[in-house]
C-alpha cells in the first residue's frame, strides 16, 4: 500500500507517542449526577492521551468534526492551516482515537472536499485499509444550483471500524 508523505510527516507519526500523560483535574459535575459523560477543556491531543489509561480499548463510537481547512476564520480554532500542518495535526489524534476504540468500535469523521481524500488515505494508514466502511455524502445545501450538474453542495462522512470483522 502506498504511503502518504508530507512536510513534517515523521514528526507527526511520532507525536502521539511523545505527548505526555496528564492528570485530568476533576471539577464540580455539570448536569445529571448519574451521567458518566466527561467534559474536558483543553488541547484535544493532551485530552485524548489523558483518557488512554482509563478508556483504552473501551470506546464504541467516536465522532469528530475536525477543521475542514477552508481558509476561514473561526473564533475557537484555526481553519487556515497549510496543508502539511493540517495533516500533521490530524494524524496523531487519529492514532490516539484508534487506541481508545474497542475492537468493535468505529470512528465517524465529517469533512469536505478540501481534505477528504487525504483524510481517507491517513485513516487507511492508521486503521488499515480493510477497515474502511463507507464514505457517506450528506447534502449541506438545499438550494438548487442551476450552473452545472456537478455541485459542491455535499460534505463527506468517513466511517472506519477499528476491526471491521468484529464490527
Amino acid at each position: 500500500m502506498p504511503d502518504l508523505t508530507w512536510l513534517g510527516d515523521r514528526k507527526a507519526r511520532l507525536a502521539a507517542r511523545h505527548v505526555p500523560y496528564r492528570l485530568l483535574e476533576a471539577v464540580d459535575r455539570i448536569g445529571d449526577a448519574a451521567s458518566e459523560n466527561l467534559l474536558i477543556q483543553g488541547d484535544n491531543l493532551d485530552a485524548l492521551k489523558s483518557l488512554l489509561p482509563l478508556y483504552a480499548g473501551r470506546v464504541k463510537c467516536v465522532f469528530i468534526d475536525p477543521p475542514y481547512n477552508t481558509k476561514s476564520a473561526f473564533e475557537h480554532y484555526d481553519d487556515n492551516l497549510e496543508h502539511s500542518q493540517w495533516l500533521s495535526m490530524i494524524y496523531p489524534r487519529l492514532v490516539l482515537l484508534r487506541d481508545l476504540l474497542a475492537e468493535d468500535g468505529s470512528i465517524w469523521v465529517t469533512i469536505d472536499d478540501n481534505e477528504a481524500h487525504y483524510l481517507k488515505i491517513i485513516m487507511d494508514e492508521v486503521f488499515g485499509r480493510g477497515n474502511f466502511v463507507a464514505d457517506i455524502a450528506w447534502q449541506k445545501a438545499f438550494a438548487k444550483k442551476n450552473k452545472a450538474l456537478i455541485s459542491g453542495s455535499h460534505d463527506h462522512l468517513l466511517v472506519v471500524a477499528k476491526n471491521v470483522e468484529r464490527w
Side-chain angles (χ1 to χ4, degrees), residues 46-82:
D46 290 338
L48 291 171
K49 186 76 175 223
S50 297
L51 292 173
L52 278 176
L54 299 171
Y55 297 101
R58 296 179 53 202
V59 176
K60 295 281 286 184
C61 184
V62 170
F63 172 81
I64 62 171
D65 183 20
Y68 285 16
N69 214 20
T70 59
K71 311 295 183 235
S72 301
F74 291 96
E75 181 180 341
H76 300 292
Y77 64 86
D78 187 3
D79 197 32
N80 189 19
L81 297 174
E82 195 275 327

Side-chain angles (χ1 to χ4, degrees), residues 14-33:
L14 297 173
R17 277 192 254 157
H18 295 296
V19 174
Y21 287 100
R22 300 180 193 280
L23 291 176
L24 297 176
E25 182 180 323
V27 294
D28 291 336
R29 286 189 174 265
I30 299 172
D32 181 12

Side-chain angles (χ1 to χ4, degrees), residues 62-66 90 93-94 97 107-111 157:
V62 170
F63 172 81
I64 62 171
D65 183 20
I90 198 71
R93 286 159 177 81
L94 290 173
L97 288 166
I107 182 168
W108 302 60
V109 186
T110 58
I111 199 74
L157 178 59

